[in-house]
Amino acid sequence: MIAVTSLLDQSHSKRVDELTELLDKKFGLNEVKMTPYPHLTLLTAEIPDMEELQQYLDQTSRETEPFTIRTTGLGVFPGEKPVIYIPVLRTNMLNQLHARLHRDISEMSSEMGIYYNPNMWLPHISLALGDTTPELLGPVLTFLSNYNFNWEIRIDNLTILQKCGDYYLKEDEYTFSRKELTI
């Protein structure tokens, strides 16, 4: 299974890295670091022909202009191991890109991650997952409530992350190269 993502810009990557480091030191939460690149996951898929996907993402990135996303607050996906995340607000640009990717990649995929279906997708930036517990939620959210999560992040890439052992590592990155039209 691979993930098609957009890596965060340098300043927001640094913010997320600093926060996950603090969560590791203060609460022992470090499994989010299995993916060492702060990112927004657009979808997950099982792809039999990686070359086809790479060509598609290269072409799509050349046809896409960079855009800005906004985040706000904190969110939790509940469960035995809750996920603590920064919600990303859905915009027309983000929805259009996501829908296009999901539609086209589903045709080359043998399996698509169910939570990334356009009707179910909740875009987010993960801060803690995998080693969290319901008992830690209160203290972690209290700690994180001291931070401002109203961010504007420039999205300018599509990046394949692939599981290698215990980690998800960067396979390929495609930078958006369509220029904004000026009149």
Side-chain angles (χ1 to χ4, degrees):
M1 191 72 83
I2 59 96
V4 176
T5 70
S6 286
L7 300 183
L8 303 187
D9 60 44
Q10 187 175 3
S11 69
H12 291 93
S13 288
K14 184 178 176 187
R15 283 185 188 181
V16 171
D17 285 341
E18 289 169 354
L19 287 166
T20 57
E21 193 59 39
L22 287 169
L23 292 175
D24 186 5
K25 287 180 182 170
K26 191 160 179 65
F27 301 100
L29 300 175
N30 59 24
E31 283 194 29
V32 75
K33 296 178 187 177
M34 287 176 36
T35 307
Y37 319 99
H39 64 281
L40 169 65
T41 301
L42 299 161
L43 60 86
T44 60
E46 194 66 52
I47 304 292
D49 184 350
M50 283 297 289
E51 189 173 317
E52 180 183 20
L53 176 66
Q54 291 163 331
Q55 290 172 356
Y56 169 77
L57 293 177
D58 180 53
Q59 180 64 36
T60 300
S61 67
R62 283 191 263 127
E63 297 169 354
T64 305
E65 65 185 57
F67 59 94
T68 300
I69 59 170
R70 289 181 172 75
T71 65
T72 189
L74 290 167
V76 175
F77 294 129
E80 187 178 317
K81 296 181 178 185
V83 175
I84 301 168
Y85 63 89
I86 305 166
V88 173
L89 302 175
R90 291 178 71 154
T91 63
N92 284 338
M93 290 290 293
L94 182 59
N95 285 339
Q96 288 171 12
L97 176 62
H98 179 260
R100 175 184 179 181
L101 292 170
H102 193 275
R103 179 193 68 228
D104 295 346
I105 293 173
S106 68
E107 293 189 14
M108 63 184 85
S109 170
S110 60
E111 181 182 347
M112 296 288 288
I114 189 168
Y115 297 113
Y116 298 95
N117 177 294
N119 295 325
M120 295 181 65
W121 182 53
L122 292 171
H124 64 279
I125 300 164
S126 297
L127 294 177
L129 57 81
D131 54 359
T132 56
T133 65
E135 296 75 26
L136 276 176
L137 271 181
V140 171
L141 291 174
T142 298
F143 172 75
L144 289 172
S145 69
N146 294 307
Y147 294 89
N148 178 346
F149 295 102
N150 296 320
W151 301 347
E152 287 190 11
I153 304 169
R154 184 171 171 85
I155 298 296
D156 66 358
N157 68 88
L158 295 172
T159 301
I160 299 172
L161 299 180
Q162 186 154 23
K163 189 163 176 109
C164 290
D166 291 338
Y167 295 91
Y168 281 88
L169 300 178
K170 186 169 32 171
E171 185 77 19
D172 294 294
E173 183 175 351
Y174 305 92
T175 302
F176 296 167
S177 57
R178 181 173 172 211
K179 303 294 181 209
E180 291 182 57
L181 297 175
T182 54
I183 299 175

